[in-house]
Amino acid sequence: MHIEEDYLKQLGVLARIQLSGSDLAALSKQLKTIIDLVDQISSVPTDHIEPMAHPVPDQFQRRRPDVVTESDDHERLLALASRHEADLYLVPEVIQES
Amino acid sequence: MHTHTLAELSLLLSTKKISSLELTRHFLERCAHYQHLNAYSLVTAESALTEARAADEARQQNRTPLNALLGIPLAQKDIFCTQGHRTAVGSKMLSNFIPPYDATVIANFKQAGCPMLGKTNCDEFAMGSSNETSYDGPVLNPWATDCTPGGSSGGSAAAVAARLAPAASGTDTGGSIRQPAAMCGLVGLKPTYGLVSRYGMIAFASSMDQGGPMTQTAEDAAMMLNVMAGFDEKDATSVQQPKVDYTKTLNDSIQGLRIGLPKEFFTNDLNDDMHRALDEAIAVLKKQGATFHEISLPHVSLSVPVYYILAPAECSSNLARYDGIRFGYQCSDARDLFDLYTRSRSEGFGAEVKRRVLVGTYVLSSGFYDAYYVKAQKVRTLIAQDFHKNFKDIDMILCPTTPTPAFKLGAKSKDPVAMYLSDIYTIAVNLAGLPGVQVPIGLLDNKPIGMQLIGNFFSEARLLNVAHRYQQETQWHRHMPTNFEPTNGGAK
């Protein structure tokens, strides 16, 4: 399947990845070879086959009681951010005055 | 000192013939001397020496229980979070990331008293089969420095092969322990999904990611797994299993062991020399009483297509967390929030990661989700069922680990599909959640090749037992690449 460059740009928007004009043609070609590879599964009969939910039978993702188990770590975690102030992450202005 | 296995080093330490400090210094010297291999992204010399002194003190005071690995320095793949030490997983995105906590695997090795020599280089977010996608640069294969060591755990493989560490941790999502172990002449074990905690292991494709050991011998892998494996409440997919000592059954007889040979893997496509080496390995196991039976895995040829739907889908979801705000790389002078997200991710991720995120976004997008993601999970069920049907009649499966020995740097980096096919024999194991171990079985053009043993869930002890029995009769695991001994510093 061919992925049109316009559609690829739209994927970039969804994935928050900027695609420059020069990248688009090469990437479109590479994605085509990958999609052609994965399209091999389309002809496999899978009626009545359950999609795998967990690789190990009878296992499931455990849940834990909804109680606080971690200590307050916000200072150490905030310190990892590029910009923060007054215990808040700083981002560019989102709501602007009209 | 560096030519010893973990088992030998453990004996030397417990009989006080060497100290952890001497051993750690020795390996740090080697890391510095052979840094051109680029096996390490970070060498943590200062803390390693502190940890070595603490290990010697613990032994001196005979604090019990003493772990068999106490005082043995190890290399850790730079995908495991290490408190206070940068963890970049080969990405510009995390090149400034110093985790505030340890991964459970790291905490387990600390608890055992193993100094950490450093963090080993790997493909960016473990996405690659040649270690060439790393922001820290490619790793050279010690056996042939114009070749890749394989990937994604290429730094760990190169470090152990050149004896810059006696053993290392790795992670395996589609073959990332077994394929580089094969290309560097090592034992590499991908455990059953859920056996080793994923807590603090930077996520790529969470339904397949699994940590495991990369060592010189099967016995060493058993010693490492004893420390790495275990239930962890911090990982929702960690499986509650009784604690096993994987070293206890290494010498068990393999008389009557039934081993399956998948006809789909032993076709004319298999290189003649690889086939011959596998036949020789089969003969060694036959001599010890194992019997061999042709089996069929009818859907196994679909593993690569299924994997390259599911792994990118999970990767696009997992990597959505890198927004440039809370941690990791942030672009400068963002115009608005969208620009901040988009440029931080575009500047922070490399080409292969972006490619996989885009493929993942595509297969998960509205209108394609059923045709790709759900369909792939159904075919994944079929692939797993093929294994389970066979495990009713056989105990394990033997097959190649890789189609070829290590390939040249740059040989496949322009062709993603050719690169993906280098994991053709390993991927099905991850899709089915099974354990698989790679064992060196020969040299081809002076480059190592290996066989893979695949077992049923939680059969790691049996797999390592068979691998160990094979190594009792062969010497391939004793081969070392030339030019890595001795160091100029006189360390021997």
Side-chain angles (χ1 to χ4, degrees):
Chain A
M1 178 189 269
H2 181 62
I3 298 183
E4 300 290 339
E5 290 186 13
D6 280 351
Y7 187 68
L8 191 50
K9 273 188 200 162
Q10 179 57 24
L11 281 180
V13 172
L14 290 172
R16 303 292 187 266
I17 286 176
Q18 201 169 39
L19 300 172
S20 66
S22 56
D23 294 341
L24 280 171
L27 198 55
S28 172
K29 208 170 148 192
Q30 285 172 343
L31 292 199
K32 182 187 179 305
T33 62
I34 296 169
I35 299 300
D36 286 347
L37 170 80
V38 304
D39 270 339
Q40 286 178 39
I41 67 165
S42 61
S43 58
V44 182
T46 52
D47 290 348
H48 314 298
I49 301 293
E50 283 294 311
M52 185 182 280
H54 195 294
V56 185
D58 307 324
Q59 292 290 330
F60 52 90
Q61 295 207 17
R62 278 174 297 103
R63 294 180 182 182
R64 62 174 178 81
D66 186 15
V67 291
V68 176
T69 56
E70 301 289 318
S71 54
D72 179 5
D73 242 3
H74 80 276
E75 280 182 11
R76 282 201 304 164
L77 296 174
L78 264 181
L80 297 170
S82 294
R83 295 189 301 152
H84 61 94
E85 191 177 296
D87 278 358
L88 298 168
Y89 294 114
L90 285 184
V91 296
E93 198 171 26
V94 176
I95 303 169
Q96 294 171 332
E97 286 178 32
S98 58
Chain B
M1 235 188 278
H2 52 269
T3 55
H4 290 300
T5 63
L6 294 184
E8 290 161 355
L9 290 174
S10 180
L11 187 64
L12 290 171
L13 283 161
S14 64
T15 52
K16 299 189 178 160
K17 294 209 167 75
I18 54 169
S19 69
S20 176
L21 192 60
E22 286 172 283
L23 192 59
T24 304
R25 277 200 179 121
H26 176 77
F27 277 107
L28 288 171
E29 272 177 37
R30 290 183 64 79
C31 293
H33 190 76
Y34 296 112
Q35 59 181 313
H36 68 284
L37 289 176
N38 205 21
Y40 285 85
S41 294
L42 180 73
V43 173
T44 50
E46 199 179 316
S47 57
L49 293 173
T50 304
E51 289 160 356
R53 286 189 192 96
D56 285 336
E57 201 178 304
R59 191 176 298 281
Q60 199 63 37
Q61 295 173 357
N62 205 22
R63 285 181 212 151
T64 51
L66 294 182
N67 190 286
L69 294 185
L70 175 67
I72 302 181
L74 300 172
Q76 306 291 357
K77 184 174 179 179
D78 195 26
I79 194 169
F80 291 106
C81 285
T82 43
Q83 187 170 359
H85 294 297
R86 188 192 80 141
T87 301
V89 68
S91 184
K92 181 180 176 184
M93 179 61 82
L94 291 176
S95 54
N96 63 356
F97 175 56
I98 298 177
Y101 70 101
D102 280 326
T104 296
V105 162
I106 298 295
N108 288 351
F109 279 121
K110 271 189 183 173
Q111 178 72 27
C114 300
M116 181 177 80
L117 293 164
K119 309 291 296 288
T120 52
N121 197 342
C122 59
D123 278 300
E124 184 177 10
F125 285 100
M127 295 178 205
S129 306
S130 65
N131 218 119
E132 292 170 292
T133 71
S134 172
Y135 183 61
D136 295 314
V139 176
L140 311 186
N141 188 321
W143 289 87
T145 51
D146 58 346
C147 287
T148 85
S152 66
S153 310
S156 289
V160 182
R163 307 297 191 258
L164 312 187
S169 60
T171 62
D172 191 317
T173 305
S176 284
I177 286 175
R178 290 160 289 154
Q179 185 254 29
M183 291 184 171
C184 290
L186 305 176
V187 170
L189 173 73
K190 192 290 254 191
T192 304
Y193 183 76
L195 188 70
V196 172
S197 171
R198 295 180 303 109
Y199 178 75
M201 192 176 110
I202 292 172
F204 155 24
S206 304
S207 79
M208 292 173 273
D209 294 342
Q210 188 61 197
M214 301 177 76
T215 56
Q216 298 167 48
T217 65
E219 183 180 25
D220 286 2
M223 293 173 77
M224 291 277 280
L225 193 61
N226 277 351
V227 175
M228 296 178 87
F231 175 69
D232 181 12
E233 62 180 14
K234 291 175 179 165
D235 175 1
T237 58
S238 177
V239 175
Q240 250 166 335
Q241 282 282 310
K243 193 80 182 156
V244 173
D245 180 350
Y246 296 96
T247 63
K248 279 270 187 271
T249 48
L250 286 171
N251 287 306
D252 282 4
S253 165
I254 61 167
Q255 182 70 39
L257 183 81
R258 298 161 303 170
I259 302 181
L261 301 172
K263 65 179 184 187
E264 291 81 3
F265 286 161
F266 288 87
T267 64
N268 290 337
D269 291 342
L270 183 62
N271 173 320
D272 285 347
D273 294 318
M274 296 285 274
H275 207 144
R276 204 170 304 122
L278 286 161
D279 284 342
E280 285 170 13
I282 289 167
V284 171
L285 296 175
K286 266 187 188 164
K287 211 170 154 191
Q288 297 188 55
T291 59
F292 285 82
H293 311 270
E294 184 180 275
I295 61 162
S296 178
L297 300 168
H299 298 93
V300 79
S301 64
L302 298 164
S303 301
V304 173
V306 167
Y307 180 83
Y308 280 99
I309 291 170
L310 299 179
E314 295 188 35
C315 130
S316 74
S317 171
N318 268 325
L319 271 57
R321 75 190 69 183
Y322 299 104
D323 55 10
I325 295 171
R326 293 161 301 156
F327 62 107
Y329 175 81
Q330 184 179 88
C331 68
S332 54
D333 304 321
R335 288 189 308 275
D336 52 33
L337 196 56
F338 183 83
D339 187 45
L340 175 69
Y341 292 148
T342 305
R343 279 203 295 118
S344 296
R345 289 166 63 80
S346 304
E347 293 168 17
F349 291 146
E352 179 62 19
V353 170
K354 286 185 209 173
R355 210 159 26 232
R356 295 202 194 191
V357 167
L358 288 166
V359 171
T361 306
Y362 176 75
V363 299
L364 290 175
S365 59
S366 172
F368 292 118
Y369 176 79
D370 284 333
Y372 286 112
Y373 185 77
V374 176
K375 180 83 177 179
Q377 290 287 31
K378 288 183 176 179
V379 181
R380 185 179 182 182
T381 298
L382 291 171
I383 292 167
Q385 284 175 351
D386 288 348
F387 282 107
H388 301 317
K389 281 177 198 158
N390 280 295
F391 284 135
K392 288 179 183 154
D393 303 315
I394 54 154
D395 300 305
M396 62 182 62
I397 292 168
L398 185 151
C399 63
T401 309
T402 60
T404 62
F407 48 88
K408 289 242 176 5
L409 287 157
K412 299 184 183 187
S413 47
K414 297 263 185 311
D415 183 350
V417 170
M419 186 71 86
Y420 298 169
L421 292 172
S422 66
D423 291 331
I424 197 163
Y425 299 119
T426 50
I427 278 177
V429 168
N430 301 77
L431 292 171
L434 298 168
V437 64
Q438 132 67 31
V439 187
I441 58 165
L443 294 173
L444 197 53
D445 301 329
N446 206 34
K447 291 186 281 188
I449 52 172
M451 67 171 167
Q452 181 180 205
L453 299 168
I454 303 167
N456 210 340
F457 299 119
F458 306 108
S459 65
E460 284 80 1
R462 190 62 162 154
L463 290 176
L464 290 170
N465 158 225
V466 177
H468 178 71
R469 293 296 300 239
Y470 172 80
Q471 292 189 324
Q472 297 307 293
E473 300 298 323
T474 56
Q475 289 297 313
W476 297 113
H477 56 289
R478 287 285 179 190
H479 287 243
M480 219 188 119
T482 48
N483 302 329
F484 289 92
E485 179 172 6
T487 60
N488 281 352
K492 289 179 186 168

